[in-house]
Amino acid sequence: MHSSDYCQVQLSSDQYFAKGSKRFCFVHPHKQKLCIKLMQPQEEGNINNENNRDIADYLTLEKMQNSALFDHIPKFH
């Protein structure tokens, strides 16, 4: 991803809908069908490692070019 692919959004508690073991989930304020997942505070350094690992896993699956894989995996934006 390129830095121009990112935009800044403002989240509120109204958009919060779930908490996983590592992330808080919010409805995207401008695109209601998308969610934004934010890392919960953890030890310093773990946040980037976890996100980078998730992105690498997603890109590996994308390269397999098997659309059935994404029947149960949400698209990463």
Side-chain angles (χ1 to χ4, degrees), residues 41-75:
Q42 296 178 359
E43 294 177 28
E44 195 171 322
N46 288 345
I47 291 174
N48 289 332
N49 292 338
E50 188 70 29
N51 285 339
N52 290 339
R53 184 173 31 250
D54 288 348
I55 292 168
D57 290 346
Y58 186 88
L59 294 174
T60 298
L61 292 174
E62 249 185 358
K63 288 177 187 174
M64 292 180 182
Q65 296 182 350
N66 180 348
S67 61
L69 287 172
F70 293 93
D71 288 348
H72 304 285
I73 299 172
K75 184 167 176 133

Side-chain angles (χ1 to χ4, degrees), residues 3 7 10-12 14 18 22 26 28 30 32 35 37 39 46 48 50 52 56-58 61 63-65 72-74:
S3 61
C7 66
Q10 197 157 3
L11 299 174
S12 71
D14 294 342
K22 298 177 183 173
F26 296 82
H28 191 290
H30 308 297
Q32 298 295 308
C35 73
K37 295 183 178 183
M39 297 296 295
N46 288 345
N48 289 332
E50 188 70 29
N52 290 339
D57 290 346
Y58 186 88
L61 292 174
K63 288 177 187 174
M64 292 180 182
Q65 296 182 350
H72 304 285
I73 299 172

